[in-house]
Amino acid sequence: MAKFIFVTGGVLSSLGKGIASASIGALLKNRGIKVSMLKFDPYINVDPGTMSPYQHGEVFVTRDGAETDLDLGHYERFIGIEMLSYNNVTAGQIYCAVIEKERRGEYLGKTIQVVPHITGEIQERIRKVAIKDKAEVVITEIGGTVGDIESLPFLEAIRQFRLREGRENTLFIHLTLVPYIPSAAELKTKPTQHSVGKLREIGIQPDIILCRTQVPLTQEAREKISLFCSVEKKDVIQAIDVDNIYEVPLRFEREGLTDNILEKLGLSAPEKDLKKWQVWVERTNSLQKEVKISIVGKYVKLKDAYKSLNEALTHAGVANEVKVRARWIEAEDVERNPEVHLSDSQGILVPGGFGERGIEGKIMAAQYAREKRIPFLGICLGMQCAVIEFARNVAGLREANSTEFSPHTPHPVIDLLPEQRKVKSKGGTMRLGSYPCKLKRNSFSFQAYGREIIYERHRHRYEFNNHYRKVLVQRGLRIAGVFPERNLVEIVEISDHPWFVATQFHPEFQSSPFSPHPLFRDFIKAALNFNGPAK
Ligand code: GLN
């Protein structure tokens, strides 16, 4: 029988509930416990796939093609387990499922209500994860902040869940903020008290309180929180700000969190050190040498929009013993003056994206990298831009474009497949999830992966148009990877270049600290070897 941990958040959002949950998962896994994760998102969207990056940040794609919350990326990277579609559930999905059951007559004439039907469906999803993943412990993170209207049914559901599954099989962990007020030189516990009060109003008494703080928690603050929030002092856990997110598990361990959780859940697991994590964090924090990577994108001011990409760069940097200085550049600025923005780069990366704004800047970035022989990594839209650039400036197809931006272009080098042309609705209809790709032996990609068949995750509607394959190859474009079953181009490279790789898939989703992605690793390696732009 599985045990269940629930992580809620209070006071305000962005306290790092995802990282905290992932860290707890990593700590338990390190003790040999089979962990799985579930993220509940209280919004009505069925998935974040239809949301703008401004609303949601990155959309993380699972192997089975679900468009999910970016916290699933943290779970995969921290715990090294694969998340699938059922590991992220939104209020929209819960309501859809309940309404469909109602239409099928499954409720036998009953009035359908939030309690018990919505809350019942929520509880079923928790059990489903335990069964599907054969988990010993399921950690469920409840999105949003306690006090939101939206999260109420989820909180009510987990309150009931404890009643059904038993106190000894469930654990409530609440993450709050303990702000430091410099003028008073004091840590303030009142927001935590209020937030826990709010939780208790709905019948949940947290077992452990994680206190996000800028400065170390004083004994006084710990005692106050213990007293007013009705938890033992050892259950007040400091969650101090760190520069390196991979340090969080180590910090929690020092607070005795793992043993505390195991004891509360009545689990026994042998002591184990966290050497692997320690070594990684120390290596990361002591990097001296830097490499300058320019990233030409559209949501450059949004830290969350390219979460996995940033992580993949960090992992690749550590693998090469170098700190990656990522410089985010607005594609529209590059359009105005590529030289000013790009001349000082050791590597150029054009990430994925949607919509026309900034497209010409991204195309220019690919051109600049090709002509100046700067290592280049293009991802998804970045690959499509590299193909357009090559078609226009090397193959002489001056008006080449993607039909996403120019529906009547005479040279649609990037186009929709016939089945995508028929698609009318937006949600979940792109090419999504993992597909196999066969690599060409003589290529940068094969050299990186060291094997012929790879699996990578996709999220796009448009594809390389095979009609132009021959002319582009004749002019020096290398088709380095293909999805064999459909003969779809997955990777293009420029053979006459130090390192130029562009992929239709998103490699960043499969990078983790202990297993850096081979393409990112080799991209950074090439950037390190780069010695000045070609004249
Ligand atoms: N907009 C492009 C497409 O739909 C690329 C998508 C992406 O970069 N994820 O094909």
Side-chain angles (χ1 to χ4, degrees):
M1 214 184 93
K3 308 263 179 178
F4 299 89
I5 299 176
F6 296 97
V7 182
T8 54
V11 183
L12 39 90
S13 60
S14 305
L15 289 182
K17 212 173 345 124
I19 305 269
S21 306
S23 299
I24 294 168
L27 288 169
L28 294 177
K29 186 190 171 195
N30 188 59
R31 292 290 190 90
I33 289 174
K34 191 156 180 352
V35 182
S36 191
M37 305 293 294
L38 168 60
K39 170 83 194 275
F40 279 132
D41 280 306
Y43 49 71
I44 310 288
N45 302 58
V46 170
D47 63 42
T50 53
M51 278 189 235
S52 140
Y54 291 106
Q55 294 279 312
H56 190 272
E58 169 180 283
V59 172
F60 186 78
V61 182
T62 59
R63 170 170 62 82
D64 63 346
E67 298 176 276
T68 69
D69 187 72
L70 56 79
D71 279 328
L72 270 78
H74 293 311
Y75 305 161
E76 289 203 352
R77 290 187 285 268
F78 272 70
I79 314 173
I81 49 175
E82 203 170 54
M83 296 283 97
L84 294 169
S85 57
Y86 54 80
N87 297 105
N88 185 198
V89 175
T90 67
Q93 286 169 27
I94 298 285
Y95 276 89
C96 271
V98 169
I99 291 168
E100 275 165 22
K101 280 187 197 163
E102 184 273 335
R103 291 289 82 183
R104 287 196 299 268
E106 285 181 29
Y107 293 112
L108 306 174
K110 293 216 177 68
T111 307
I112 313 305
Q113 294 174 297
V114 172
V115 183
H117 301 102
I118 295 295
T119 50
E121 184 68 32
I122 293 171
Q123 291 176 69
E124 268 180 43
R125 300 305 178 101
I126 304 168
R127 287 192 193 95
K128 180 174 173 184
V129 171
I131 295 164
K132 284 254 187 197
D133 291 342
K134 298 186 182 64
E136 286 171 81
V137 174
V138 177
I139 303 171
T140 300
E141 178 191 345
I142 318 280
T145 309
V146 169
D148 297 346
I149 294 178
E150 278 86 357
S151 40
L152 271 177
F154 290 94
L155 296 173
E156 169 60 16
I158 63 171
R159 185 192 68 79
Q160 293 177 10
F161 196 87
R162 168 168 263 188
L163 219 55
R164 298 218 172 110
E165 297 291 322
R167 187 160 281 277
E168 65 289 0
N169 297 321
T170 50
L171 188 71
F172 291 137
I173 300 183
H174 189 53
L175 171 68
T176 72
L177 177 71
V178 181
Y180 177 74
I181 307 297
S183 57
E186 238 184 289
L187 279 164
K188 293 295 183 188
T189 64
K190 196 72 85 189
T192 299
Q193 296 177 36
H194 279 303
S195 168
V196 170
K198 198 93 206 144
L199 258 185
R200 283 147 107 188
E201 260 172 42
I202 38 188
I204 296 174
Q205 164 65 46
D207 302 296
I208 291 175
I209 301 176
L210 302 178
C211 303
R212 180 73 190 264
T213 171
Q214 260 181 305
V215 299
L217 280 188
T218 55
Q219 285 309 318
E220 194 195 343
R222 287 182 195 256
E223 270 157 24
K224 244 180 164 171
I225 293 168
S226 156
L227 183 65
F228 287 103
C229 302
S230 212
V231 294
E232 280 181 48
K233 220 174 119 192
K234 71 167 180 10
D235 300 328
V236 179
I237 304 287
Q238 166 183 295
I240 201 159
D241 292 359
V242 283
D243 291 333
N244 181 341
I245 53 170
Y246 299 104
E247 213 174 311
V248 175
L250 296 170
R251 297 285 184 147
F252 281 176
E253 181 69 23
R254 244 181 271 163
E255 291 277 304
L257 183 60
T258 324
D259 285 331
N260 190 339
I261 290 174
L262 291 173
E263 192 198 308
K264 285 194 167 57
L265 288 175
L267 291 170
S268 59
E271 283 286 337
K272 247 184 114 193
D273 65 31
L274 286 159
K275 197 107 212 123
K276 185 169 95 166
W277 286 80
Q278 224 141 15
V279 169
W280 199 86
V281 167
E282 275 161 25
R283 260 180 88 187
T284 315
N285 292 349
S286 63
L287 296 174
Q288 300 293 329
K289 203 165 154 190
E290 286 190 354
V291 63
K292 276 182 262 172
I293 303 296
S294 300
I295 307 172
V296 180
K298 196 161 78 167
Y299 311 104
V300 299
K301 295 200 178 67
L302 270 181
K303 260 178 90 190
D304 275 358
Y306 301 100
K307 200 103 205 165
S308 297
L309 183 77
N310 269 321
E311 291 302 312
L313 285 169
T314 305
H315 309 152
V318 178
N320 284 287
E321 303 280 342
V322 61
K323 198 181 179 79
V324 176
R325 267 266 160 263
R327 239 178 346 171
W328 291 85
I329 306 168
E330 269 294 342
E332 282 173 307
D333 292 338
V334 173
E335 242 164 80
R336 279 174 223 119
N337 195 339
E339 184 69 30
V340 164
H341 294 286
L342 298 175
S343 58
D344 176 29
S345 330
Q346 290 169 272
I348 296 177
L349 195 156
V350 180
F354 295 84
E356 199 184 349
R357 183 168 72 80
I359 278 301
E360 292 302 322
K362 294 177 189 179
I363 293 172
M364 279 168 144
Q367 180 180 8
Y368 194 86
R370 179 179 57 77
E371 289 178 351
K372 304 284 178 188
R373 304 177 66 76
I374 303 174
F376 178 84
L377 179 59
I379 297 176
C380 208
L381 181 61
M383 175 266 204
Q384 299 175 353
C385 288
V387 170
I388 296 168
E389 190 281 313
F390 194 89
R392 285 185 190 172
N393 302 322
V394 181
L397 308 169
R398 299 296 324 169
E399 288 170 79
N401 214 328
S402 161
T403 48
E404 182 179 3
F405 317 119
S406 173
H408 306 293
T409 167
H411 297 299
V413 290
I414 304 293
D415 198 6
L416 290 175
L417 292 177
E419 68 256 34
Q420 274 293 342
R421 257 185 225 124
K422 287 187 230 136
V423 169
K424 290 278 176 290
S425 75
K426 290 266 185 265
T429 55
M430 286 187 255
R431 174 144 84 107
L432 289 166
S434 188
Y435 285 85
C437 168
K438 188 168 183 229
L439 301 180
K440 195 184 179 85
R441 282 202 167 252
N442 178 20
S443 65
F444 299 123
S445 300
F446 183 82
Q447 202 168 13
Y449 286 95
R451 58 175 191 275
E452 207 170 10
I453 302 290
I454 55 155
Y455 290 83
E456 293 283 2
R457 300 182 195 172
H458 291 250
R459 182 173 185 248
H460 57 98
R461 217 176 280 288
Y462 292 80
E463 304 274 353
F464 181 100
N465 184 347
N466 275 333
H467 179 72
Y468 289 92
R469 195 148 150 184
K470 207 163 150 204
V471 274
L472 298 179
V473 168
Q474 268 167 1
R475 304 306 299 260
L477 194 73
R478 179 159 63 206
I479 307 300
V482 170
F483 168 37
E485 203 184 301
R486 299 284 313 272
N487 194 21
L488 295 175
V489 172
E490 300 278 27
I491 309 175
V492 299
E493 298 182 356
I494 292 175
S495 34
D496 179 27
H497 190 282
W499 205 86
F500 193 109
V501 177
T503 66
Q504 186 58 81
F505 51 76
H506 289 269
E508 69 271 29
F509 293 140
Q510 293 199 87
S511 184
S512 71
F514 307 117
S515 172
H517 194 282
L519 287 182
F520 279 89
R521 185 200 60 213
D522 280 15
F523 171 55
I524 296 300
K525 190 164 143 208
L528 273 172
N529 291 333
F530 175 69
N531 41 28
K535 294 279 176 271

